[in-house]
Amino acid sequence: MTTLVSPRPDDAPRALRADALDNRHRIIEAARQSFATRGLEEVTMREVARRAGVGVATLYRRFPTKEALVSEVFAAQMAACVALVDDALAESDPWRGFCMVIEKVCAMQAVDRGFSRASLANVSDEAGFARSLDHNARGFAALTRRAKESGQLRADFGPGDLRLLLMANAGIVANAPDSAPAASRRLVALLLQSLRAHPADPPVPLPAVTG
């Protein structure tokens, strides 16, 4: 005679937790792929749910707002930016630290349309994302001040100018995605030359644009 063994009371909840975790992973990956190829504005929550193979209600239970989803999708990139700013502040050469942040953030933008838009978007209602943005803003302000004090950065560069640089770079990503990495490197090289208090003479060789 076969004895049927009843499941332990905690078996069902454990299965549900595993299923919920799988749904979360699929939602994040679907959103990451969609944002990377189409940007933030064009992608709807319903599209993300369909691509992830979950119901819209399931998506909203995990992420009540699109801002919450964006914050989670780009959490790793924001953490990388925090580490980047900290590394730049540790640089002995203020100009090199200043350039490092601009070069690497623009390079991150150039390969991911989603991150390009997220780096300029307002998702301040997400506490972790907001803390990272605040940390980076304060760190970059310190880098700017040091670069000016060293006499290497032009004196009229202001905090809002970084956003202008990122917006210009984002325009390349949006309008020429296939050639964005090379075009971005050239744009950044041109911009950094223009920001030097005393531009190099002769100028530093610029990267070529391919394609």
Side-chain angles (χ1 to χ4, degrees):
M1 175 177 176
T2 303
T3 302
L4 297 178
V5 179
S6 299
R8 293 178 301 171
D10 61 345
D11 279 351
R14 181 177 295 116
L16 288 174
R17 285 194 296 269
D19 182 62
L21 185 61
D22 180 62
N23 283 342
R24 180 182 177 84
H25 289 331
R26 285 192 285 130
I27 289 168
I28 292 172
E29 185 57 29
R32 179 178 292 114
Q33 293 176 8
S34 298
F35 292 153
T37 56
R38 298 181 56 208
L40 300 186
E41 293 83 356
E42 296 83 356
V43 177
T44 67
M45 295 287 271
R46 185 174 296 276
E47 289 176 65
V48 172
R50 183 172 61 249
R51 186 165 186 166
V54 302
V56 175
T58 297
L59 171 57
Y60 277 105
R61 277 198 301 274
R62 305 288 174 261
F63 302 99
T65 65
K66 189 174 183 179
E67 288 76 13
L69 179 58
V70 168
S71 297
E72 183 65 27
V73 167
F74 297 108
Q77 285 95 327
M78 286 305 299
C81 287
V82 168
L84 170 60
V85 169
D86 290 343
D87 288 346
L89 286 168
E91 274 284 326
S92 59
D93 181 352
W95 175 251
R96 177 58 197 146
F98 176 85
C99 293
M100 181 191 303
V101 171
I102 294 177
E103 289 168 346
K104 292 192 176 181
V105 171
C106 286
M108 291 170 68
Q109 279 189 321
V111 296
D112 190 330
R113 277 187 72 182
F115 178 70
S116 177
R117 299 306 303 166
S119 62
L120 296 166
N122 179 18
V123 288
S124 58
D125 59 325
E126 298 303 316
F129 208 84
R131 282 195 298 271
S132 295
L133 288 173
D134 182 62
H135 174 94
N136 292 341
R138 287 186 286 107
F140 190 75
L143 288 168
T144 298
R145 184 174 62 254
R146 289 172 49 190
K148 287 182 180 180
E149 290 172 351
S150 72
Q152 299 177 84
L153 174 63
R154 54 190 295 167
D156 61 348
F157 183 87
D161 291 328
L162 175 62
R163 184 174 180 84
L164 291 178
L165 300 184
L166 295 179
M167 289 173 64
N169 194 59
I172 289 177
V173 179
N175 294 298
D178 292 339
S179 60
S184 173
R185 286 192 297 273
R186 185 171 176 83
L187 173 67
V188 170
L190 286 166
L191 291 172
L192 289 176
Q193 283 195 21
S194 72
L195 292 176
R196 293 188 71 107
H198 305 287
D201 186 19
V204 177
L206 296 173
V209 176
T210 58

